[in-house]
Amino acid sequence: MKAKAIVKITVCIVMTVMLLALTACVNQQNNENDPGQSLIDPTDKKDDTIELFAMDTYMTIKAFGNHAQPALQEAATRIHELELLWSVTNPDSEIYALNHGDGSTIEVNPATAEALSFASIMADRTDGAFDFTVYPVLAAWGFTTGSYQIPAQAELDILLERVGHEKVLIEGERVTLPKDTQIDLGAVAKGYTADIVTAILKKDGITSALIDLGGNIQVIGFKPDGSKWRVGIKDVYGEGNVGVLEAADCAVVSSGGYERYFVGADGKTYWHIIDPSTGAPADSGLVSVTVIGKDGRFCDALSTALFVMGLQKAEKHWRSYGDFGMILMTRDNELYITEGLEEDFTLDKSRADMAVHILRKSD
Ligand code: AMP
Ligand code: MG
């Protein structure tokens, strides 16, 4: 099933990449019944869509309203700028410069400084379950190159000495990493980017839009017909969605082992989300986590962190902070949904047998 899924995803990505020739393109999506309609739409119901491949992700942004194209073009340009700043592999990126700076202090772009400060706050808040310095461990497993392997625990223990968000010194836009520390904004970059795209679209007066950056969905307002957006929550064990969440003016971000993984010679599945306390792929009993909240960056960092924490700690985190909603899927095929979301969530018919639990503050 998983091999099939990989083939499907690969075919889909290859086709998409061929189609887009790896470049951003803006299509005016006219009303299907009237493909010749012009850009100016007095009914304000037409959408402009931009599709691009960036940050290793196939992205689609759909904005409704008049003259959305300039805003979409600006968003695409900004996405590529951020990709260049934050790539871990591109020698021209700021993250690459920091990771290879041999302990020197580097002055970074305000966006990078802000993203790193935010990542530090989230690392603190999650007691290091989210830790953007986990990169050397990730590399040892081969997730950065695709040359997968299972490192010995002794090797991981040595690498873990280099991990720890508190080692990163951020003074305004001046950032210092100890010589052996390496960072990776992979768990927060797309959420952060979605926030920036949202701000660009809103600045240009767009009040209805869908920003889909892979597993990161962000919606502005409602659909033009006044209804909520329907966001599919991927079924880890099935082909389609476990259910659909109706959402407006928020971010819906999922983390899951299904996104990138390999099966070791021992037959076990190892995925790309690392538990910084062990150096191994998180083995918390959760197979997918979706966080619903106001900001993409916040939901993105948190979905990764809660995936590492597991059901009990995630629930405790929700009870202590209460500033987000979540949908957790466990290895045992159970779904946990925080109160309030159940009204907007519809379980897929194919999963009608699934046990769904509502987490309530009063319990
Ligand atoms: P996400 O899909 O947002 O959950 O992010 C997963 C990506 O974040 C991985 O591919 C790694 O690049 C990075 N990562 C893995 N584990 C962690 C962690 N515990 N904290 C922060 N980033 C991580
Ligand atoms: Mg994340």
Side-chain angles (χ1 to χ4, degrees), residues 14-335:
V14 169
M15 283 175 62
T16 305
V17 169
M18 279 167 58
L19 203 66
L20 301 173
L22 284 172
T23 129
C25 62
V26 176
N27 306 319
Q28 188 205 343
Q29 302 271 305
N30 287 322
N31 184 324
E32 276 175 19
N33 300 323
D34 185 8
Q37 220 170 332
S38 75
L39 244 182
I40 297 158
D41 177 13
T43 61
D44 213 24
K45 293 254 170 82
K46 213 166 50 225
D47 68 284
D48 283 301
T49 302
I50 191 165
E51 295 173 330
L52 64 153
F53 188 80
M55 301 180 176
D56 236 355
T57 305
Y58 172 53
M59 304 178 169
T60 305
I61 309 168
K62 196 183 272 275
F64 291 83
N66 296 331
H67 305 299
Q69 286 207 38
L72 290 173
Q73 286 290 4
E74 189 184 336
T77 304
R78 190 70 186 127
I79 289 171
H80 286 301
E81 284 168 5
L82 294 173
E83 177 182 36
L84 182 60
L85 287 176
W86 297 343
S87 163
V88 267
T89 49
N90 185 338
D92 294 330
S93 88
E94 290 194 332
I95 299 300
Y96 191 95
L98 285 163
N99 286 347
H100 297 84
D102 278 340
S104 60
T105 298
I106 293 180
E107 181 131 4
V108 296
N109 186 288
T112 306
E114 207 190 304
L116 289 174
S117 302
F118 177 74
S120 292
I121 290 168
M122 291 308 290
D124 270 339
R125 168 170 163 158
T126 61
D127 289 329
F130 166 89
D131 193 322
F132 59 106
T133 64
V134 85
Y135 188 75
V137 175
L138 201 73
W141 285 90
F143 284 109
T144 53
T145 55
S147 301
Y148 300 120
Q149 56 180 339
I150 304 170
Q153 190 58 48
E155 185 191 344
L156 291 174
D157 289 342
I158 292 168
L159 290 173
L160 282 174
E161 285 171 21
R162 297 161 56 183
V163 174
H165 63 278
E166 67 290 339
K167 297 179 199 286
V168 179
L169 187 64
I170 307 164
E171 298 161 299
E173 283 154 25
R174 291 164 59 79
V175 181
T176 315
L177 256 58
K179 195 172 171 305
D180 289 329
T181 298
Q182 291 186 311
I183 57 175
D184 162 28
L185 287 174
V188 76
K190 281 188 273 165
Y192 211 95
T193 303
D195 285 338
I196 289 173
V197 169
T198 299
I200 290 171
L201 298 186
K202 283 189 173 172
K203 165 181 74 66
D204 276 21
I206 287 159
T207 53
S208 173
L210 173 72
I211 298 150
D212 178 353
L213 312 187
N216 288 57
I217 306 283
Q218 198 142 331
V219 293
I220 299 180
F222 291 78
K223 287 201 290 195
D225 67 4
S227 65
K228 288 184 175 178
W229 303 93
R230 291 167 55 78
V231 182
I233 309 295
K234 195 180 164 353
D235 189 353
V236 178
Y237 295 123
E239 297 277 308
N241 293 323
V242 71
V244 170
L245 183 75
E246 294 191 52
D249 243 335
C250 65
V252 182
V253 180
S254 299
S255 283
Y258 56 85
E259 287 173 335
R260 200 177 311 157
Y261 63 89
F262 70 95
V263 180
D266 56 2
K268 269 183 77 179
T269 299
Y270 297 95
W271 46 57
H272 65 132
I273 300 176
I274 303 291
D275 182 343
S277 69
T278 64
D283 190 15
S284 68
L286 294 179
V287 289
S288 110
V289 171
T290 300
V291 174
I292 298 94
K294 213 167 124 294
D295 298 318
R297 68 195 76 182
F298 169 72
C299 295
D300 198 354
L302 206 51
S303 66
T304 309
L306 301 182
F307 187 91
V308 172
M309 287 182 194
L311 174 61
Q312 279 171 359
K313 283 190 187 161
E315 183 179 344
K316 197 167 163 224
H317 197 85
W318 174 71
R319 288 189 188 284
S320 345
Y321 287 90
D323 51 356
F324 64 97
M326 62 184 185
I327 300 173
L328 311 177
M329 189 171 164
T330 70
R331 191 161 42 205
D332 305 331
N333 228 346
E334 291 188 305
L335 215 57

Side-chain angles (χ1 to χ4, degrees), residues 235 242 332-334 347-356:
D235 189 353
V242 71
D332 305 331
N333 228 346
E334 291 188 305
L347 194 66
D348 193 85
K349 281 197 191 83
S350 64
R351 300 306 240 115
D353 57 328
M354 201 175 192
V356 180

